[in-house]
Structure formats: structure tokens, C-alpha cells
Amino acid sequence: MKTEPFSFMINSPGFIPSYFDNHIKRHLSDMKGQFNNKEAFQEVLEAGDKLLYEVYELKRPEIEGEILHGISIVHPGKIGEEYYMTKGHFHTVLETAEIYYTLQGEGMMVMETPEGDWAVEELKTGGVLYVPPRWAHRSINVHSDQDLVMFFAYPGNAGHDYGTIETQGFRKLVLSKSGKPQIVDNPHWKPPEK
Ligand SMILES: [Fe+2]
């Protein structure tokens, strides 16, 4: 890990940072229980454990004052009607925000609070999305054949809580209906316990 100021490049077409510490790969098997259509999930999984998304991280101390950052690449594809997406998470320290800059592609960010408020924002090339503190977030690639590439940055002390979303899901799903992305209620969503 660097202690002096540093810079790096993120260039098309690949968008792989010229410098990074971790390369995380998430396959379909890492997403068990996350997709709405369980039969479609099983069917696709049996045909091969597809790579859904990748993250290139720059390691920083996980403390207040630092900014963790990197690149996420969600590949195009669908499980049934549901697009490839990230696991989605709350930050362990709820009162921490995140910022996303879309470098390429078309997508949706599905968000919700522990109280069950929800929001969906479009992601498109050149767009900046601010995710305020308390909002869980999941990115979804709605393009048929292009990667969704985003630069992200969030406070060093944020941490990741994947478990809450694994248990309750997101309140809204984005499904492909007649070739277009549509926001629908998640029939399996479990409202947060009061
Ligand atoms: Fe996050």
C-alpha cells in the first residue's frame, strides 16, 4: 500500500486500472438466493458458473479519513428476466455515503433504507450518482451486450453488510419486460423488523 500521493489511469476499452491491489471476481454461485427466479438460476448454474461482475480495489486503511475506491465491472446477461447485478449491501457503519461515476454502459442502481424507503436511479455513461448515508445499494447492468463500468469511492471505515440483503432482498427488482427494464415489486422481499 502506498503512503505517498499517487495517481493511476482508467482507460477504455478495458477500464482496468493501471494500478490496483485486489481483483475480486463474483460468479453466479456467489449469488445463491439473490435472483428472483430460482429455477432459472439453477438451470444457468448447471450450464456453467458464469462470471457476473468484477471489482478492482485499491487497498487503503479501513479507517475514518481514508477513501476506499476502485472500479466495478458488471457484465451483461440475464437470469430469467433478471439482469446480472451485484450482491448489494448496506455499509456496516450506516452513516456513510458512496459516490459512483459511470464510465461506460447502461444500468440501474436499486437502493433502500433500513426503514424500507426505496429509490432507483439510472446509470449511464458520464453520470454521477450520490448514494447518501443509510441507503443500501445494488448495481444492475441493463444493457444487452456491454459491460457496466463504474468508479466508486466511499469512506474507509464504512465496512460491508451483505447479510441483511441476503436475508431480506431488495424491495424492488429490475426485470426485462419486452426488451425494456422495468421496476417491479420483489415478491420475496421481507420488510425490516420493527
Ligand atoms: Fe457500498
Side-chain angles (χ1 to χ4, degrees), residues 94-118:
L94 266 180
E95 302 300 333
T96 51
E98 183 152 356
I99 199 154
Y100 285 88
Y101 176 53
T102 303
L103 292 158
Q104 176 195 278
E106 279 172 40
M108 301 269 205
M109 189 72 82
V110 176
M111 294 165 279
E112 72 185 54
T113 67
E115 291 74 35
D117 296 325
W118 66 273

Side-chain angles (χ1 to χ4, degrees), residues 50-65:
K50 294 211 162 54
L51 179 63
L52 268 56
Y53 67 99
E54 304 177 61
V55 180
Y56 293 90
E57 284 182 337
L58 286 96
K59 204 171 164 65
R60 299 302 313 160
E62 294 182 11
I63 55 172
E64 214 173 328

